[in-house]
Amino acid sequence: MAVRLGRKSALELSMYRRIGVAPHQRGSLSGETCPDIFELDDGDFAVIGTDATDELTSSLPPDCARGAHQRIVAITRQTLTMARRDIPGA
């Protein structure tokens, strides 16, 4: 199933660059299964994190909705704060 993100389908997307520093630069010993953020070639972002959809869906505010194809992903604070310098307009 292709997921629509902006104008391209997921099958048409590719990673453009990492946002922030590599996991081993954040202290990961293995660097293998760590949260990460990437900018896609269309300007959107992809996040690797822990799927927290089941735990957090009931905590969403009333004005927020999650589509059946969407997941809530948790990443460490350090992952996001170290990515700040690479996020346009941040």
Side-chain angles (χ1 to χ4, degrees), residues 21-82:
V21 299
H24 72 272
Q25 292 175 296
R26 294 191 311 265
S28 170
L29 298 178
S30 70
E32 295 175 1
T33 59
C34 298
D36 223 332
I37 304 171
F38 294 91
E39 184 175 359
L40 303 176
D41 63 352
D42 70 351
D44 284 344
F45 295 91
V47 177
I48 298 172
T50 302
D51 185 349
T53 305
D54 293 341
E55 295 83 2
L56 295 176
T57 295
S58 64
S59 299
L60 291 173
D63 61 347
C64 182
R66 181 187 62 78
H69 66 283
Q70 297 173 321
R71 310 302 293 164
I72 300 171
V73 178
I75 60 173
T76 64
R77 179 179 190 84
Q78 182 187 39
T79 301
L80 187 58
T81 58
M82 293 189 85

